[in-house]
Amino acid sequence: MSTPAPPPAEPPAEPPAEPPVGPATEPVCPRHPDRVSYVRCQRCERPVCPECQRQASVGVQCVDCVREQARGMRTVRTAFGGQPGTGTPVVTIGIVIVCVIVYVIELVPGTDMILRFGFSPTVADTQPYRFLTSAFLHSMSPAHILFNMIVLWQVGPYLEAQFGRIRYAALYLMCAIGGSVGYLALANPADPRSWSSVAVGASGAVFGLFGALLVVQRRLGQSSQGVLIFIGINAVLGFTLANVAWQAHLGGLLTGAAMGLVLAAPVKPSQRLVVQVVGTWVVLGAMVAISLWKLSTALY
């Protein structure tokens, strides 16, 4: 009887692998694997290098956690739809830059910018673009553009922050058109000097911003004394100084107040955009209607 063969001997167990030593054991930043960091994010506890660190209330957080929290945060807005603290007043700066560039072009002999783009009732029906372009032109005197830009800078950034850039840009453009409409509506067709004179300047639009500012301050419960004094002084100057288009100032002021009522209307946030868009079109339609009525009754 044969003896069974003994089972094959098992290979000797290999010793457990030793953990690697050296740089591989050091914590590295997930976004920059070549950077060793012993600082960890307080939220996800991953290593974070100095470039990816963001200061938190306690310790630091990584950029990924900061972005994730920002996506979940509700955007803070003013009562009129703007975002407070958005930084540089881009629209106001843009308006100033455009006005300065146009003024420099005016100084070039032969450009005739005022005659080509200034507003005059005689060409209101055939060249309606002048209702807007005239607001970016100024007389050859440096004092004209300097005064308008200084006043614009005083009030523009505040309204831009309150309304937001798009609403503020719409406000300014509407006020610029409103200034020309006011000049047209109050011009006398029987007086050649009144009907054929050319008006330029951003003052109508700037007056419109003050009209909107009045509404905003009333809406926020703030004092309007300073704005009323400014408007009163300029109203007196408009009637006493020569070559001042007080009609454009009045038209811009009324347009700005109307737009202020639209943009600062006390409605629910869900209804704000609809009210503002529809209200803006209503104000624009009213200005078109006034212009067409004036032109239809003019005596040529």
Side-chain angles (χ1 to χ4, degrees):
M1 187 172 181
S2 60
T3 303
E10 296 181 359
E14 296 182 0
E18 297 182 359
V21 295
T25 62
E26 297 177 321
V28 295
C29 175
R31 297 174 63 89
H32 303 94
D34 59 328
R35 302 178 186 178
V36 177
S37 176
Y38 291 92
V39 178
R40 295 184 177 272
C41 171
Q42 294 294 318
R43 194 160 183 256
C44 66
E45 298 185 351
R46 296 184 303 173
V48 53
C49 68
E51 183 178 343
C52 297
Q53 294 176 12
R54 298 295 182 269
Q55 192 65 40
S57 56
V58 178
V60 296
Q61 293 184 3
C62 63
V63 291
D64 297 322
C65 289
V66 172
R67 290 176 181 173
E68 183 179 349
Q69 292 181 79
R71 283 194 296 265
M73 293 179 61
R74 186 177 179 180
T75 303
V76 178
R77 293 189 177 273
T78 66
F80 317 116
Q83 296 184 22
T86 51
T88 307
V90 176
V91 178
T92 302
I93 293 176
I95 294 171
V96 173
I97 292 176
V98 171
C99 288
V100 171
I101 292 176
V102 172
Y103 179 74
V104 173
I105 296 175
E106 290 181 45
L107 299 178
V108 178
T111 54
D112 296 328
M113 295 291 288
I114 294 179
L115 294 178
R116 293 167 58 190
F117 299 103
F119 180 78
S120 175
T122 56
V123 295
D125 55 342
T126 59
Q127 302 177 21
Y129 58 85
R130 292 178 180 242
F131 278 87
L132 181 61
T133 57
S134 60
F136 295 94
L137 297 166
H138 288 84
S139 65
M140 305 303 290
S141 172
H144 188 201
I145 184 173
L146 182 62
F147 176 79
N148 282 339
M149 295 302 100
I150 291 176
V151 177
L152 171 62
W153 187 255
Q154 290 177 340
V155 66
Y158 174 76
L159 290 177
E160 185 171 347
Q162 290 293 326
F163 291 131
R165 291 169 180 169
I166 296 178
R167 295 175 181 85
Y168 171 73
L171 169 66
Y172 187 87
L173 295 178
M174 291 287 286
C175 292
I177 297 173
S180 298
V181 173
Y183 189 80
L184 170 65
L186 297 175
N188 183 7
D191 182 1
R193 181 179 179 182
S194 172
W195 193 250
S196 61
S197 60
V198 179
V200 294
S203 54
V206 172
F207 262 81
L209 296 184
F210 277 96
L213 180 60
L214 278 174
V215 178
V216 169
Q217 290 180 330
R218 292 293 300 271
R219 178 83 162 77
L220 298 177
Q222 300 174 350
S223 174
S224 303
Q225 183 177 0
V227 179
L228 292 174
I229 292 175
F230 173 85
I231 294 175
I233 293 175
N234 282 272
V236 173
L237 294 177
F239 286 102
T240 57
L241 296 180
N243 300 323
V244 176
W246 61 267
Q247 304 93 328
H249 296 178
L250 180 60
L253 180 65
L254 295 178
T255 304
M259 285 296 297
L261 293 174
V262 169
L263 297 178
V267 296
K268 297 179 180 179
S270 58
Q271 302 172 343
R272 182 189 297 128
L273 181 60
V274 175
V275 171
Q276 291 175 342
V277 172
V278 174
T280 300
W281 279 104
V282 170
V283 175
L284 181 60
M287 291 193 295
V288 172
I290 293 173
S291 301
L292 293 177
W293 167 79
K294 182 66 177 184
L295 293 172
S296 66
T297 58
L299 299 176
Y300 293 92

